[in-house]
Amino acid sequence: MAKFITIGERIHCISPVIREAMNSKNPEPILKRAKEQLDAGAVYLDLNIGPAESNGEDLMQWGVKLLQENFDNVPIALDTANKKAIEAGIRVYNRAKGKPIVNSADAGERIENIDLAAANDAIVLALCSAEGVPGSVDERQAFCMEMLERGMEKGMDAAEDMWFDPLFLVIKGMQDKQKDVLDTIRWFAEQGFKSTGGLSNISNGMPKHIRPIMDSTMLAMCISAGLTSAIVNPNDLRLMETVKSCDAILNETLFADSYLEL
Amino acid sequence: MPFKKPAPKPGAAINEVVLGTGENAVKLGGESVLPFYGFDAEIANTTKIGIEVADVEFEDAVPGIAVLYAGATNAAERVVRAAGVPGVDFVCLRFESADPSGADTSAEDCAAVAKSAFDALAGAKPLVILGSKNNEKDAQIFDKIAAALQGGNVLFVSAKEENYKTVAASAGLAYGQKISPESAVDINLAKQLNVLITQMGVDAKNLVMNVGSAAAGYGFEYVISTIDRIKGAAMSQNDATLSMPIFTPISTETWAVKESTASEADMPDWGSVEDRGVSMEIQTAVAVIASGSNAVMLRHPASIAAVSKLVNALA
């Protein structure tokens, strides 16, 4: 085991400020969000450039260099549907602080992203679904095994570099599926697999003041089940306090009275 | 399946802290592997040995210690003798007489003694200053001594929960010396003190931890498990708040227990007092070094010779 790994989700082209910054190659808004997330304790930064069909390679390289040059080679999750952009990003990526993460592969159309990660000695986020929402824990396990096999065929160190995503689902509307997610994480942990996922999904559509409560409670339950990483908003104070407290409770970090300030 | 040697994870290393100045400066820490795991990666600096000298003469010194200081009339002369003992890397001057329940030497007088000792050493060995174990008085004498020895890169032992603010502000910040947070076998406090002192602005690379010390057999397993856990956090958990080298001043403990003090008249079966004291000191030192202490403080030349031989043989 190791300390829980947070992947900061706030550099995302769905945000108008970030989209505009990416369109105009304006570093300031991106650097500001990166700093806020790292100051709050994010380990990895997710860099989501969207589909980026026309200028993806150039944009990803610009983003990777921008973040790593300004933040001591911060490790990055390269997040786009454009494979060539991910490869381009990895070409300029500095591994001093950790391998790049390919975000993401699945057991459907995006399964080739496993090959991409294997060929580039990267970590891959492997989403246990093919299309739509998996119906059960069994189905997730089947997708997981399919992707695992693919990764191992391609020579990946599956226990280290394949981070399986159980697919977090929104509670409003899919309340009855939440236990499946926890059971899947528990099963990943039993197999010795690393895991991650877009945790904030669960509280979509909830009032703003409720989301940190739901997110941090779900996260604590997931970490207890064996989750090793998550894509989160590190500027959610309650959530980061939960991560730090979980690390202390699981003896992944030595407690000190000032632990929340670290 | 063939054995695949796991590659050590990069990034985790103990800070390298320099004591003293010039060519005789001593480096503590700097390693990126567990104690003596030289097969995993090169260990930058060997374990260092400090010799304990007090500002007053040791009472009832055993012959090997008495002969070393025979004829020396003051702390400066004793410090010079101590510096010449083979195997010594640095000299620890302990201000026993500063204790308010004892001679209560003033901070100004302590500073004058420290300055004379420092000047007499003339850079031959780095100097470490220890207090009288009275928190309030230690903060006072450290302030004056740190001022008098400014530029000497001297280590002050210790800054405790009760006085760290004063010690860090004066010795650490105002005079740029090294300081040693002391946490008495409390791992959580060890981390907390490092955090608090660095939050005050002292560079983490100016800290050498004193995480607790005891003579072997006297609650010693707590000392060992404390050092183990702290090294584990620094190395395996990459915890920068615990990556300071560790100094364990064991001699004040080992020379105070009955094995080292009971007279041969009282304990005829136990053999020579001196042999017992040296044995206690060596056994204790070796155990803390094996757990990861980057430096120890010893008193007897025979112990220093033995421990130094061991450290060099394993280097």
Side-chain angles (χ1 to χ4, degrees), chain B residues 48-222:
Chain B
K48 296 296 186 279
I49 301 172
I51 183 167
E52 179 197 357
V53 190
D55 67 332
V56 291
E57 285 186 51
F58 291 122
E59 280 176 35
D60 305 321
V62 295
I65 292 172
V67 76
L68 173 62
Y69 299 114
T73 56
N74 58 38
E77 287 178 24
R78 282 193 293 276
V79 159
V80 171
R81 298 272 182 94
V85 172
V88 164
D89 296 298
F90 57 90
V91 179
C92 307
L93 178 56
R94 183 168 59 80
F95 281 87
E96 188 175 319
S97 79
D99 189 349
S101 57
D104 200 16
T105 305
S106 73
E108 288 75 15
D109 289 349
C110 290
V113 169
K115 185 75 170 70
S116 69
F118 182 79
D119 291 344
L121 269 177
K125 302 281 178 195
L127 189 62
V128 170
I129 299 291
L130 288 90
S132 66
K133 301 209 167 181
N134 178 292
N135 299 327
E136 202 178 322
K137 184 67 183 291
D138 284 355
Q140 293 168 14
I141 70 167
F142 288 171
D143 178 52
K144 298 292 180 198
I145 297 172
L149 305 185
Q150 200 169 358
N153 213 12
V154 171
L155 176 66
F156 286 81
V157 183
S158 307
K160 299 208 265 188
E161 194 175 15
E162 296 82 2
N163 66 5
Y164 77 88
K165 283 183 187 162
T166 322
V167 177
S170 69
L173 286 173
Y175 304 116
Q177 310 280 17
K178 307 290 192 247
I179 55 180
S180 182
E182 176 178 346
S183 45
V185 297
D186 179 337
I187 49 174
N188 307 110
L189 179 60
K191 178 162 173 167
Q192 182 67 6
L193 274 180
N194 290 342
V195 171
L196 293 171
I197 290 171
T198 49
Q199 281 179 344
M200 285 176 65
V202 176
D203 189 339
K205 294 194 169 151
N206 287 335
L207 300 182
V208 177
M209 287 186 280
N210 171 4
V211 300
S213 133
Y218 290 83
F220 192 58
E221 55 273 42
Y222 293 107

Side-chain angles (χ1 to χ4, degrees), chain A residues 251-252 254-255 257-258 261, chain B residues 188 191-192 199 229 237:
Chain A
N251 198 25
E252 298 298 347
L254 185 60
F255 177 82
D257 290 348
S258 298
E261 296 160 39
Chain B
N188 307 110
K191 178 162 173 167
Q192 182 67 6
Q199 281 179 344
R229 179 67 179 89
Q237 299 180 331

Side-chain angles (χ1 to χ4, degrees), chain B residues 261-275:
Chain B
T261 57
S263 71
E264 287 158 41
D266 287 345
M267 290 294 171
D269 298 342
W270 284 11
S272 143
V273 180
E274 181 158 26
D275 291 350

